[in-house]
Amino acid sequence: MYRFAKAAVNLSGHAARQVRHGSSATGTFHTKYGTGVMAGGFVFCTAVWAYVLTQTGITWNLSPVGKVMPKAWREAEE
């Protein structure tokens, strides 16, 4: 646990130093395109699931309550 706490403090200190002094490095791929990639993935997944749920005709059978009728008990044979 000590290593994790030490790493977390180190990372937060590093991030604070970057904010305080400004980062001279150009943005990485994630800072440039991360939000767009995430939004695009969200839209894509939403569109695919909307198609699957509405157009494929899959019967999902979510709950058997009210659809399953119990069989009559057989009398014990003596």
Side-chain angles (χ1 to χ4, degrees):
M1 187 66 186
Y2 175 73
R3 284 183 176 179
F4 176 74
K6 186 176 177 182
V9 169
N10 189 20
L11 288 177
S12 64
H14 182 68
R17 265 184 264 120
Q18 277 187 343
V19 169
R20 203 174 307 130
H21 299 296
S23 179
S24 61
T26 60
T28 62
F29 176 83
H30 298 289
T31 56
K32 287 182 181 178
Y33 306 110
T35 306
V37 170
M38 287 291 287
F42 175 77
V43 169
F44 175 77
C45 289
T46 303
V48 168
W49 274 108
Y51 174 78
V52 167
L53 292 173
T54 59
Q55 302 298 316
T56 58
I58 295 175
T59 304
W60 293 95
N61 295 326
L62 297 177
S63 174
V65 175
K67 298 175 186 173
V68 177
M69 299 300 294
K71 294 180 180 178
W73 287 92
R74 287 191 330 185
E75 295 296 327
E77 296 178 15
E78 293 183 35

